[in-house]
């Protein structure tokens, strides 16, 4: 990493961070977290700027789709809070595995960590798109662990046809961008098809794991004011009653775990093919 690319990288992070804050993609804490995620990803691996572009693509796509039909989601009472601006917990939960992969790549230089990185970013992207696009599905979602059971839109672990298509779209986007960035060349014997295939499978595995955790172990609550079932500990400004799952396993920890699964899936495929 030379000083010039480092300065260019930091400059880009800062400009984009401030823009994100201005258009409401992140809040202030999310901006700081975004800078903290961006710096090691730019600095640690070889050609870190390209790695950073991949993470950036996730953030832009996630923001676009969170805002997409925000009014419709708000009316269904399924929209993200604060207009969809992401706080630091969300940014770190989605970025931690990617940082780890970037650091490992910087230390050992083995391309397996690039595979893991792509798997983690593909999972975050798929998962966010599945949630945000899935909310617009005309029919009620079904619980991934009991497919004959319909649940209200926004329920953790609920899946829809539209959401599953969005899962594929998210991973495909990351796979295609990785190919455009020339990552197939870094992975030596990888052809572009295998690169895209790995993003697809890893992103799908990670997102499916996310839904599975959401349907089984994630902490789920019932609001004591409006009676709504929610994954948030606080609803209508009051502490909600826990009805199932583990309180510790909140949405952010579920996201983090899923990116780990996505990364491991990609690394496994990398070692096999
Ligand atoms: Zn409520």
């Amino acid at each position: 990493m030379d000083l010039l690319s480092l300065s260019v990288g930091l400059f880009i992070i800062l400009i984009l961070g401030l823009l994100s804050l201005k258009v409401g993609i992140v809040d202030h804490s999310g901006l700081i977290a975004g800078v903290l995620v961006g710096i090691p990803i730019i600095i640690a691996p070889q050609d870190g700027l390209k790695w950073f572009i991949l993470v950036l693509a996730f953030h832009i796509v996630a923001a676009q789709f969170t805002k997409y039909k925000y009014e419709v989601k708000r009316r269904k009472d399924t929209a993200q809070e604060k207009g969809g601006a992401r706080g630091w917990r969300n940014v770190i939960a989605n970025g931690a595995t990617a940082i780890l992969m970037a650091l490992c790549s910087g230390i050992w230089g083995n391309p397996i960590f690039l595979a893991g990185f792509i798997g983690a970013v593909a999972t975050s992207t798929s998962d966010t798109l599945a949630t945000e696009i899935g909310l617009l599905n005309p029919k009620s979602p079904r619980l991934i662990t009991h497919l004959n059971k319909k649940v209200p839109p926004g329920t953790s672990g609920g899946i829809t046809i539209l959401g599953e298509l969005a899962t594929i779209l998210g991973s495909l986007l990351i796979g295609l961008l990785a190919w455009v960035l020339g990552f197939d060349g870094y992975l030596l014997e990888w052809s572009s098809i295998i690169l895209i295939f790995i993003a697809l499978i890893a992103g799908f595995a990670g997102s499916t794991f996310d839904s599975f955790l959401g349907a089984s172990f994630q902490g789920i609550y019932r609001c004591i004011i409006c009676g709504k079932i929610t994954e948030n500990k606080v609803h209508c400004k009051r502490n909600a009653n826990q009805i199932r799952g583990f309180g510790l396993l909140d949405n952010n920890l579920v996201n983090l775990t899923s990116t780990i699964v996505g990364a491991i899936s990609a690394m496994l495929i990398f070692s096999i093919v």
Side-chain angles (χ1 to χ4, degrees):
M1 185 89 223
D2 58 290
L3 207 60
L4 179 67
S5 17
L6 180 60
S7 331
V8 171
L10 288 179
F11 184 71
I12 295 173
I13 293 182
L14 211 60
I15 296 296
L16 289 171
L18 290 173
L19 273 176
S20 309
L21 187 65
K22 186 139 174 58
V23 297
I25 294 176
V26 291
D27 65 12
H28 283 94
S29 74
L31 167 67
I32 295 167
V35 173
L36 291 180
V37 169
I39 289 173
I41 289 176
I42 288 188
I43 293 178
Q46 196 194 343
D47 281 322
L49 261 184
K50 288 184 180 178
W51 291 51
F52 179 66
I53 291 173
L54 210 63
V55 172
L56 198 63
F58 154 66
H59 280 285
I60 293 172
V61 168
Q64 283 308 313
F65 280 96
T66 304
K67 303 237 171 244
Y68 178 67
K69 301 218 170 158
Y70 190 81
E71 271 308 300
V72 177
K73 294 173 197 164
R74 200 182 58 77
R75 266 181 266 126
K76 280 187 175 177
D77 197 23
T78 54
Q80 306 291 334
E81 286 158 27
K82 295 185 287 180
R86 282 161 206 281
W88 69 272
R89 285 191 178 85
N90 190 287
V91 173
I92 296 291
N94 275 303
T97 308
I99 293 180
L100 181 68
M101 293 296 132
L103 291 177
C104 290
S105 171
I107 296 170
W108 290 289
N110 192 312
I112 196 170
F113 299 114
L114 174 56
F117 177 79
I118 292 171
V121 179
T123 300
S124 300
T125 311
S126 281
D127 195 35
T128 307
L129 289 204
T131 303
E132 296 301 335
I133 297 179
L135 286 174
L136 302 169
N137 200 68
K139 288 186 179 165
S140 285
R142 289 162 183 274
L143 213 55
I144 191 167
T145 45
H146 302 85
L147 285 175
N148 52 358
K149 189 177 175 187
K150 288 189 179 170
V151 289
T155 303
S156 299
I159 58 169
T160 59
I161 299 286
L162 213 53
E164 291 305 295
L165 289 175
T167 302
I168 296 170
L169 175 71
S171 297
L172 193 62
L173 277 174
I174 294 302
L176 284 172
L177 181 59
W179 169 62
V180 169
L181 289 169
F183 280 146
D184 48 342
Y186 290 81
L187 298 169
L188 307 171
E189 65 272 40
W190 283 20
S191 69
S192 48
I193 298 293
I194 294 179
L195 176 69
I196 294 167
F197 174 76
I198 286 186
L200 266 178
I201 301 295
F204 194 79
S207 302
T208 306
F209 189 77
D210 184 285
S211 301
F212 173 74
L213 279 186
S216 51
F217 299 116
Q218 185 174 351
I220 303 294
Y221 306 84
R222 182 183 282 115
C223 176
I224 55 169
I225 306 293
C226 70
K228 208 177 135 50
I229 308 289
T230 171
E231 58 185 32
N232 298 318
K233 284 183 178 131
V234 177
H235 205 264
C236 297
K237 294 177 182 161
R238 297 285 290 274
N239 282 329
N241 282 332
Q242 187 172 348
I243 51 173
R244 64 176 166 90
F246 298 103
L248 188 68
L249 195 63
D250 65 0
N251 197 39
N252 288 322
L253 194 54
V254 168
N255 281 346
L256 174 63
T257 315
S258 313
T259 56
I260 294 173
V261 169
I264 291 175
S265 309
M267 291 160 93
L268 278 178
I269 305 172
F270 176 81
S271 355
I272 295 168
V273 289

